[in-house]
């Protein structure tokens, strides 16, 4: 084992997906997993296979596709959870089961209603059973941050004896301060020695997740569990991009410690996850926020112009932020320049069909919009990749909305080569659009969330709309994306996108697992 290597375990698709409103369908998870593989992540926690047929399907599909990263599924210390995890990851070339049980007094007494002895027995049984499916078993002491160290040592001994190779010590509720976690990890790393790898998984309830991750690395942790954009339960997890860049930038502190992350892929990964989940990182978010490399005040601008390092501790290009792009696209640009720009932005998995569709849309856009920015092109390509299941395809939209009149929408949709047309009145223009689409498609959606952001600056900016819609009572929500210079057109596309996502997931689950959703 290389003692300087920090294993990067990404849990965007599991803990990240536990962020309210962040659920993704299988196709979206596959896209994220492919990008995580390109980013150089060592372990991808692809989901919690036993949680639902959709989760099982996503973990299985990812396990079949990803070749270079280990694919892992989480499971409680329960036989059926472990079995589902084992079956789902079985297709992967490198696979792991991650099983856990809580070890803090408060969780054992009130949640599990188990004695410490029962917890140890259950943990051992879980690891032994997981070993019947895979060799690589990780065990987590949930709420380790509030567990007693002597008890943690007992659990560590027992699960290592049972075959666990990685011991994760999560600060599940984001309670610990960096100095406290540093001393806990130091003691438990020394105690564990070469018997297993010590991992950390820190939550951000006090805004300390990344500080805690770094303090742990400096004290013996050799695996970090992180998410893109810091997504995760409640206030989120330690952000991958922050922890990785801190280790890279502060060589003076971290010495020979390193990760295998291909950092110029960080920005593209962040954008993909933000687009798919509809959850944008805050503008001042470290590394990937819109303002992370923007200098607004004169003194700073002056300094950067004279010498970049006066106000920049890393180069934007080190994390994949391309500034001062030399190739400007406009209405006279051809396919070659467009293709070149896409390559420059780091897209290398674009199909011929996606490229052609995006190019056609680029030409239409260039007729209407003066400057086409890198973000516009990035969004056109991502939108093509996300909206490829056009079961219902928007052909036309006509709206009328007057302050004293009746909001009305007329919608034309293509479905199975048939053109469907209808119009409806609504309480507002959006309501009229949604009502007409519901009537035309025969599915009635409940809108759970609606967001609109402008992709770039200017009155002619592209509008990116994200909708979150559920189509059955109390069921999963589906995300739809719409991109257009016209916000209402983007809205109609996003609503139909959510329906298409629901229908294709339903179809996939019926085919793959015989389950209905
Ligand atoms: C800290 C974390 O992030 S842990 C991971 C969180 N992720 C998830 O919960 C994934 C989504 N969850 C789900 O889909 C569901 O909760 C399921 C399918 C996992 C379980 O659903 P249900 O069987 O209906 O149980 P429910 O969620 O109501 O309660 C959890 C049960 O698991 C028990 N449990 C919790 N953790 C563990 C564990 N690690 N090992 C064994 N049992 C556990 C609880 O004590 C409770 O048992 P009880 O019903 O006997 O009181
Ligand atoms: C299951 C574990 C790793 C977890 O997510 C946590 O403790 O936060």
């Amino acid at each position: 084992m290389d003692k300087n290597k920090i294993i990067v375990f990404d849990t965007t698709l599991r803990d990240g997906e536990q962020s309210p409103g962040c659920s993704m369908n299988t196709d979206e998870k596959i896209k994220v997993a492919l990008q995580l593989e390109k980013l150089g992540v060592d372990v991808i926690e692809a989901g919690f296979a036993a949680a639902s047929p959709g989760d099982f399907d996503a973990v299985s599909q990812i396990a079949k596709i990803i070749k270079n990263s280990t694919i892992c599924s989480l499971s409680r210390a329960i036989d059926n959870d472990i079995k589902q995890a084992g079956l789902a990851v079985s297709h992967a070339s490198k696979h792991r089961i991650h099983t856990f049980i809580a070890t803090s007094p408060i969780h054992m007494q009130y949640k599990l209603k188990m004695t410490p002895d029962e917890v140890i027995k259950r943990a051992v049984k879980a690891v032994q059973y997981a070993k019947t499916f895979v060799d690589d078993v990780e065990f987590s002491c949930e709420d380790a941050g509030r567990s007693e160290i002597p008890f943690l040592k007992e659990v560590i001994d027992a699960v290592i004896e049972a075959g666990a190779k990685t011991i994760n010590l999560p600060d599940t509720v984001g309670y610990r301060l960096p100095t406290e976690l540093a001393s806990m990890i130091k003691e438990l790393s020394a105690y564990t020695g070469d018997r297993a790898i010590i991992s950390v998984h820190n939550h951000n309830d006090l805004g300390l997740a990344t500080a805690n991750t770094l303090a742990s690395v400096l004290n013996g942790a050799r695996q970090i569990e992180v998410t893109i954009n810091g997504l995760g339960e409640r206030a989120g997890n330690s952000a991958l991009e922050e922890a990785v860049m801190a280790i890279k930038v502060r060589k003076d502190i971290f010495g020979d410690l390193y990760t295998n992350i291909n950092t110029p892929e960080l920005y593209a990964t962040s954008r993909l996850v933000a687009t798919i989940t509809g959850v944008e990182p805050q503008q001042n978010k470290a590394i990937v926020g819109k303002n992370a490399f923007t200098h607004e005040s004169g003194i700073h601008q002056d300094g950067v112009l004279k010498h970049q390092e006066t106000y920049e501790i890393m180069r934007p290009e080190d994390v994949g932020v391309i500034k001062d792009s030399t190739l400007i696209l406009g209405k006279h640009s051809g396919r070659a320049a467009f293709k070149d720009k896409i390559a420059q932005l780091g897209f290398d998995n674009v199909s011929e069909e996606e490229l052609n569709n995006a190019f056609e849309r680029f030409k239409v856009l260039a007729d209407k919009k003066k400057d086409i920015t890198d973000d516009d092109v990035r969004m056109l390509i991502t939108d093509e990749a996300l909206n490829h299941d056009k079961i219902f395809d928007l052909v036309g939209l006509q709206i009328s909305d007057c302050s004293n009149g009746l909001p009305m929408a007329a919608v034309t949709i293509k479905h199975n080569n048939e053109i469907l047309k209808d119009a409806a009145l609504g309480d507002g223009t959006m309501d009229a659009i949604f009502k007409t689409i519901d009537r035309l498609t025969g599915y009635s959606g409940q809108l759970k969330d609606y967001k609109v952001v402008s992709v770039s600056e200017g009155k002619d900016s592209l509008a990116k709309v994200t909708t979150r819609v559920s189509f059955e009572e109390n069921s999963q929500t589906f995300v739809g994306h719409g991109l257009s210079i016209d916000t209402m057109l983007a809205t109609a596309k996003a609503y139909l996108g959510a329906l298409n996502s629901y229908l294709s997931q339903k179809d996939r689950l019926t085919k793959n697992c015989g389950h209905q959703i």
Side-chain angles (χ1 to χ4, degrees):
M1 192 184 91
D2 177 352
K3 296 225 173 236
N4 291 322
K5 161 108 190 264
I6 306 297
I7 297 164
V8 176
F9 175 115
D10 181 278
T11 181
T12 308
L13 296 174
R14 200 277 297 169
D15 209 323
E17 211 209 9
Q18 287 172 217
S19 311
C22 268
S23 58
M24 301 168 236
N25 70 20
T26 301
D27 276 342
E28 291 164 339
K29 286 185 182 174
I30 291 172
K31 288 198 169 67
V32 172
L34 284 166
Q35 180 60 31
L36 291 173
E37 183 182 39
K38 196 170 166 200
L39 182 65
V41 158
D42 300 290
V43 185
I44 298 175
E45 187 161 57
F48 190 137
S52 69
D55 262 51
F56 182 89
D57 179 53
V59 179
S60 313
Q61 300 305 324
I62 290 170
K64 284 179 192 158
I65 290 168
I66 300 297
K67 297 286 166 257
N68 298 317
S69 311
T70 296
I71 302 304
C72 168
S73 169
L74 184 65
S75 66
R76 287 173 298 176
I78 288 181
D79 282 0
N80 188 50
D81 276 29
I82 295 166
K83 184 175 173 192
Q84 298 304 318
L87 295 175
V89 299
S90 66
H91 313 281
S93 39
K94 293 186 274 182
H95 40 209
R96 172 181 295 190
I97 294 178
H98 176 191
T99 187
F100 75 100
I101 195 159
T103 50
S104 63
I106 188 169
H107 276 233
M108 292 191 287
Q109 182 180 349
Y110 295 106
K111 184 184 76 175
L112 298 173
K113 299 183 180 17
M114 286 166 85
T115 64
D117 267 1
E118 286 169 333
V119 165
I120 294 197
K121 283 199 186 97
R122 184 70 85 84
V124 166
K125 197 167 159 272
V127 173
Q128 286 170 340
Y129 188 48
K131 289 292 270 191
T132 65
F133 293 94
V134 296
D135 185 43
D136 184 356
V137 173
E138 169 171 338
F139 179 79
S140 279
C141 304
E142 190 191 359
D143 205 17
R146 291 188 298 172
S147 301
E148 287 160 2
I149 295 214
F151 184 57
L152 285 174
K153 287 182 179 168
E154 274 185 62
V155 178
I156 289 173
D157 287 340
V159 296
I160 290 177
E161 173 74 25
K165 297 195 163 184
T166 303
I167 307 291
N168 186 35
L169 300 169
D171 184 24
T172 304
V173 290
Y175 177 70
R176 287 289 160 207
L177 302 183
T179 46
E180 293 175 305
L181 207 64
S183 93
M184 176 178 123
I185 296 298
K186 189 173 184 172
E187 182 170 347
L188 294 175
S189 294
Y191 181 74
T192 305
D194 286 339
R195 295 183 295 154
I197 290 170
I198 292 292
S199 166
V200 287
H201 173 118
N202 294 314
H203 278 272
N204 206 30
D205 300 65
L206 294 174
L208 295 170
T210 299
N212 279 338
T213 297
L214 297 172
S216 306
V217 163
L218 288 171
N219 284 280
R222 288 296 173 269
Q223 175 175 286
I224 55 175
E225 300 198 357
V226 283
T227 59
I228 299 297
N229 298 341
L231 292 181
E233 189 91 33
R234 303 182 311 278
N237 285 69
S238 174
L240 181 151
E241 60 276 9
E242 293 171 8
V244 164
M245 286 314 289
I247 293 169
K248 183 168 175 166
V249 169
R250 295 304 307 272
K251 281 234 148 292
D252 54 331
I253 302 288
F254 290 92
D256 291 333
L257 297 178
Y258 70 97
T259 72
N260 268 352
I261 294 298
N262 178 16
T263 64
E265 288 295 329
L266 284 172
Y267 187 64
T269 314
S270 165
R271 291 314 311 142
L272 182 70
V273 170
T275 304
I276 285 181
T277 58
V279 178
E280 284 290 328
Q282 77 225 35
Q283 295 212 350
N284 59 339
K285 163 86 181 60
I287 319 292
V288 294
K290 208 170 170 184
N291 297 347
F293 295 94
T294 308
H295 304 281
E296 180 74 17
S297 60
I299 293 171
H300 290 216
Q301 289 170 339
D302 171 61
V304 170
L305 286 171
K306 286 174 176 156
H307 185 77
Q308 200 175 5
E309 284 173 26
T310 50
Y311 287 98
E312 278 182 4
I313 60 165
M314 58 199 136
R315 291 175 311 162
E317 52 274 30
D318 289 344
V319 302
V321 173
I322 305 161
K323 286 176 124 190
D324 306 326
S325 189
T326 45
L327 200 60
I328 308 290
L329 291 183
K331 65 192 270 185
H332 300 297
S333 305
R335 198 176 294 266
F338 188 69
K339 215 171 163 174
D340 205 69
K341 170 66 76 185
I342 288 169
Q344 212 184 81
L345 292 175
F347 291 94
D348 51 13
N349 280 326
V350 182
S351 71
E352 207 50 33
E353 191 192 348
E354 284 163 6
L355 181 85
N356 288 341
N357 290 346
F359 182 69
E360 255 179 54
R361 289 175 69 183
F362 155 73
K363 278 297 202 182
V364 173
L365 183 65
D367 260 341
K368 298 182 179 159
K369 191 174 186 297
K370 206 165 117 254
D371 301 312
I372 307 283
T373 65
D374 287 356
D375 277 338
D376 290 334
V377 177
R378 196 190 297 280
M379 279 313 306
L380 282 176
I381 290 289
T382 311
D383 195 57
E384 273 310 315
L386 291 179
N387 283 321
H388 58 89
D389 276 328
K390 291 188 176 144
I391 299 167
F392 288 101
D393 194 9
L394 188 75
V395 177
L397 172 69
Q398 200 183 325
I399 49 174
S400 74
D401 180 29
C402 332
S403 55
N404 290 317
L406 292 170
M408 186 276 295
V411 179
T412 310
I413 288 173
K414 195 166 156 191
H415 177 56
N416 289 337
N417 283 328
E418 210 188 314
I419 295 291
L420 314 170
K421 292 180 188 169
D422 202 351
L425 300 176
D427 292 330
T429 319
M430 262 168 54
D431 186 48
I433 293 173
F434 298 153
K435 278 194 175 128
T436 316
I437 292 178
D438 285 353
R439 228 155 64 183
L440 275 173
T441 59
Y443 291 91
S444 172
Q446 288 104 49
L447 188 69
K448 301 288 182 190
D449 196 16
Y450 175 90
K451 282 194 198 98
V452 56
V453 289
S454 68
V455 173
S456 50
E457 289 164 10
K459 289 178 186 153
D460 58 358
S461 169
L462 274 174
K464 171 172 141 351
V465 172
T466 310
T467 55
R468 188 170 286 282
V469 189
S470 74
F471 294 92
E472 289 168 24
E473 218 39 59
N474 298 325
S475 76
Q476 189 188 341
T477 56
F478 290 82
V479 176
H481 310 278
L483 186 69
S484 172
I485 210 159
D486 184 295
T487 310
M488 284 302 129
L489 201 52
T491 300
K493 286 181 180 176
Y495 189 73
L496 268 182
L499 176 60
N500 288 334
S501 173
Y502 164 68
L503 293 174
S504 59
Q505 178 86 343
K506 195 170 163 166
D507 188 43
R508 174 196 285 279
L509 288 186
T510 315
K511 276 192 203 130
N512 289 356
C513 343
H515 284 289
Q516 303 289 335
I517 49 172

